[in-house]
Amino acid sequence: MEAPGRGTGRRVLRRGTPVPGRGRGSRRSHGDARRECRKERWRAASGSGDGGDVNGGPSQRTDEEESRNDNGGGGWSDWFANEWPKYSEDASTITIALAASLAFRTWIAEPRYIPSLSMYPTFNVGDRLICEKVSRRFSKQPTVGDVIIFHPVEELQKAGYDASEVFIKRVIARAGDTVEVKRGKVYINGTPTSEAFVAEAPKYTMNPVKVPEHYVFVMGDNRNNSYDSHLWGPLPEENIIGRAVFQYWPPGNVGVVQGRARVFAAEEAPALVD
């Protein structure tokens, strides 16, 4: 649209609003128009215009901006649509890693640390182990000499221990075996055991105890400082969580946790003469 008089042929500054024509105050109006034109060009060049581009045409962002303003800025839906693709791969990777870690800890193995001296000198306070759970799912009974972790029996819970706590001891005998402690020795089925791994010989006596079906007899390697089966009886197999297989802390003691083959020799030990 064109304006009459002196303003004829000039660019329209605002949509639907012609430049003022000749008349009183027209010189001041043209000055204002030129200043306004410069402002429009500056806004368009800086990207902060209110609807005009560099050439004076309508901005392509105008409708989008008006839509955002009408919808309250887009909110979480717009942010999610724009930003989620940037992080979806990382989020998926973290989720899969957490799920795999949880599954591994629940079904395969888990780390544990030693809280007391009941297994000294085999383990010291603060030592850290990996305890596997797979063999427990395929084997009916643990092997004599295995170091196992387990939940406390009812007698321990009555003494104040929580059912969720975890103990660590060594399996001394299985179902059907008879265990006895006398003269500083542990006897299995009447035969004394050779226990080079214990801190010291037991200073107590225990009458013969036959291990019932689906139970094991466990003791700490620190015989005189261990709250174990010689005080509260055989351990139900259903309480067993897993078996200690690898020590990873401290660095000087890193290695496989030895079982019966290296430290337990009950069957080969000669009988003592009373």
Side-chain angles (χ1 to χ4, degrees):
M1 180 180 295
E2 296 182 353
R6 184 179 294 180
T8 302
R10 289 187 178 273
R11 180 173 61 86
V12 177
L13 298 179
R14 293 186 180 274
R15 194 171 182 177
T17 304
V19 177
R22 183 180 300 174
R24 187 176 181 180
S26 60
R27 182 176 300 174
R28 182 178 180 181
S29 299
H30 284 301
D32 293 341
R34 284 193 294 271
R35 283 192 295 273
E36 185 67 24
C37 182
R38 285 195 295 270
K39 290 180 181 178
E40 290 290 342
R41 290 178 179 174
W42 180 83
R43 292 189 186 121
S46 62
S48 59
D50 59 352
D53 60 13
V54 176
N55 297 320
S59 172
Q60 296 179 354
R61 299 185 347 181
T62 301
D63 294 340
E64 296 176 1
E65 292 175 352
E66 290 179 355
S67 175
R68 290 195 188 99
N69 292 334
D70 292 341
N71 296 328
W76 284 104
S77 59
D78 281 358
W79 181 92
F80 189 83
N82 295 330
E83 300 297 329
W84 172 248
K86 302 178 184 178
Y87 307 104
S88 59
E89 185 175 352
D90 291 339
S92 299
T93 301
I94 293 173
T95 301
I96 293 172
L98 291 175
S101 176
L102 180 61
F104 185 87
R105 185 182 178 93
T106 303
W107 303 103
I108 307 298
E110 67 177 69
R112 286 286 174 179
Y113 75 94
I114 304 300
S116 71
L117 289 172
S118 68
M119 286 296 292
Y120 183 83
T122 305
F123 303 123
N124 210 335
V125 175
D127 287 1
R128 296 181 181 273
L129 317 170
I130 296 294
C131 300
E132 62 87 15
K133 303 179 179 181
V134 177
S135 62
R136 183 71 189 95
R137 302 181 184 281
F138 297 97
S139 177
K140 293 183 179 180
Q141 284 187 327
T143 303
V144 171
D146 284 348
V147 177
I148 63 172
I149 58 174
F150 57 91
H151 291 302
V153 297
E154 290 186 7
E155 289 296 325
L156 290 173
Q157 295 179 38
K158 292 178 181 178
Y161 292 96
D162 190 89
S164 63
E165 292 189 62
V166 176
F167 284 67
I168 182 168
K169 305 293 178 188
R170 190 183 298 275
V171 176
I172 298 300
R174 303 194 303 176
D177 292 335
T178 299
V179 184
E180 183 180 8
V181 180
K182 60 182 180 181
R183 300 195 304 275
K185 289 281 188 179
V186 175
Y187 287 73
I188 307 296
N189 299 325
T191 302
T193 60
S194 177
E195 301 176 317
F197 54 89
V198 299
E200 57 185 357
K203 299 177 181 179
Y204 55 85
T205 60
M206 185 188 75
N207 294 329
V209 175
K210 186 172 183 178
V211 183
E213 287 294 321
H214 306 299
Y215 282 75
V216 292
F217 199 93
V218 297
M219 300 179 76
D221 290 354
N222 193 351
R223 290 286 188 260
N224 298 308
N225 188 24
S226 176
Y227 196 24
D228 52 35
S229 288
H230 89 275
L231 294 172
W232 42 260
L235 171 72
E237 291 180 3
E238 62 185 15
N239 287 46
I240 299 175
I241 301 171
R243 177 173 63 101
V245 293
F246 189 80
Q247 181 173 351
Y248 65 92
W249 189 266
N253 293 333
V254 172
V256 176
V257 176
Q258 302 295 339
R260 174 173 180 162
R262 295 289 297 276
V263 298
F264 200 80
E267 293 180 356
E268 295 79 6
L272 296 179
V273 178
D274 291 337

